[in-house]
């Protein structure tokens, strides 16, 4: 059974950095998109960033372009989200996800992690 495990969430001051990690276990997502989707309280889930595991193409929401970077470590079967210059509006539960749908859409994923909370203080 496939499993995605997120880590790295926490409290950070506005303007600061935070790095999230997502470790995949149970299978190899060689032909999948790996992405990050977030959900703020009272809001719908929004796409944040994604990459093709076996390729080099990356995708970013307009709201995070230039601030967030998605990357992978093939040896560790892990995907990262480096978040810089965090804003209060970035506060949300961040979910790691894998799927074969549209990688830049929150609806394009089939496997989900449990989520990790990111809180940004002003």
């Amino acid at each position: 059974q496939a499993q995605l495990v997120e880590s790295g969430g926490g409290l950070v001051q506005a303007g600061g950095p935070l790095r999230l990690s997502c470790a995949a276990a149970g299978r190899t997502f060689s032909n999948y998109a790996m992405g990050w989707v977030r959900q703020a309280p009272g809001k719908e889930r929004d796409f944040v960033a994604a990459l093709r595991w076996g390729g080099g193409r990356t995708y970013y929401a307009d709201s995070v372009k230039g601030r967030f970077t998605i990357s992978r470590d093939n040896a560790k079967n892990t995907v990262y989200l480096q978040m810089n210059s965090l804003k209060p509006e970035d506060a949300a539960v961040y979910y790691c996800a894998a799927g074969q749908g549209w990688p830049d859409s929150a609806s394009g994923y089939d496997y989900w992690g449990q989520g990790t909370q990111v809180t940004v203080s002003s």
Side-chain angles (χ1 to χ4, degrees):
Q1 184 177 359
Q3 184 176 16
L4 301 173
V5 181
E6 304 106 323
S7 62
L11 174 65
V12 63
Q13 293 283 344
L18 198 66
R19 189 173 80 158
L20 306 182
S21 299
C22 174
R27 68 173 294 171
T28 301
F29 293 97
S30 299
N31 299 316
Y32 281 67
M34 300 293 296
W36 291 93
V37 177
R38 67 187 181 187
Q39 185 171 29
K43 306 291 185 179
E44 296 184 354
R45 292 187 180 187
D46 291 324
F47 163 78
V48 176
L51 58 75
R52 289 286 180 183
W53 187 261
R57 185 171 181 179
T58 58
Y59 310 79
Y60 294 97
D62 289 341
S63 60
V64 306
K65 286 181 180 178
R67 299 188 297 120
F68 291 10
T69 302
I70 187 169
S71 62
R72 68 184 186 276
D73 185 327
N74 291 338
K76 295 182 178 180
N77 204 30
T78 299
V79 176
Y80 304 95
L81 183 68
Q82 178 66 51
M83 304 183 292
N84 296 324
S85 301
L86 281 163
K87 304 175 180 179
E89 52 263 44
D90 293 318
V93 176
Y94 283 70
Y95 297 90
C96 177
Q100 294 180 300
W102 287 267
D104 58 349
S105 172
S107 64
Y109 297 93
D110 303 307
Y111 299 93
W112 296 82
Q114 81 286 353
T116 185
Q117 176 71 52
V118 173
T119 302
V120 184
S121 62
S122 301

